[in-house]
Amino acid sequence: MKEPTQIIGNIRLTEKASLLGERNNQYVFRVATHANKNRDQPGDRKAVGKKVVRVNTSQHAGKKKRERRADFGRKAHWKKAVITLAEGDKIELT
């Protein structure tokens, strides 16, 4: 099992993530692409410090970036994790 700091990158503060936090007690994090929700869920519990009920992950492809040329580059692929906390637990966002 990897260290929690190697798995969880940063919290995603978007409108949709804010609504999930208010309504469903869910928080959205950007995680390492090699993260596995079954193997790394205990690491999520250590990093968050709360009782984790469920972890959902999804892969996101990096966007194509073209700079006035025929060949193009690409931003990095990334992975998102939506962590559901037990009722009554909260994470203070700063």
Side-chain angles (χ1 to χ4, degrees), residues 12-92:
R12 306 275 300 164
L13 296 175
T14 60
E15 289 182 32
K16 184 175 180 179
S18 298
L19 287 175
L20 285 174
E22 291 172 6
R23 294 182 183 167
N24 303 334
N25 205 21
Q26 294 178 327
Y27 297 90
V28 181
F29 291 92
R30 187 171 181 162
V31 296
T33 55
H34 60 78
N36 182 334
K37 67 181 174 183
N38 296 324
R39 184 186 65 210
D40 296 328
Q41 189 170 358
D44 295 338
R45 289 187 182 132
K46 284 182 193 173
V48 174
K50 309 288 182 182
K51 184 177 179 189
V52 176
V53 175
R54 186 175 63 213
V55 177
N56 296 16
T57 60
S58 61
Q59 297 274 355
H60 294 274
K63 292 182 178 179
K64 288 182 184 177
K65 292 296 177 183
R66 192 170 150 248
E67 293 290 330
R68 298 181 189 92
R69 293 172 35 178
D71 58 339
F72 61 87
R74 185 178 274 280
K75 294 225 175 188
H77 300 305
W78 59 285
K79 192 172 204 177
K80 178 171 74 172
V82 179
I83 298 175
T84 305
L85 297 181
E87 195 169 327
D89 286 342
K90 285 194 169 267
I91 296 176
E92 292 299 322

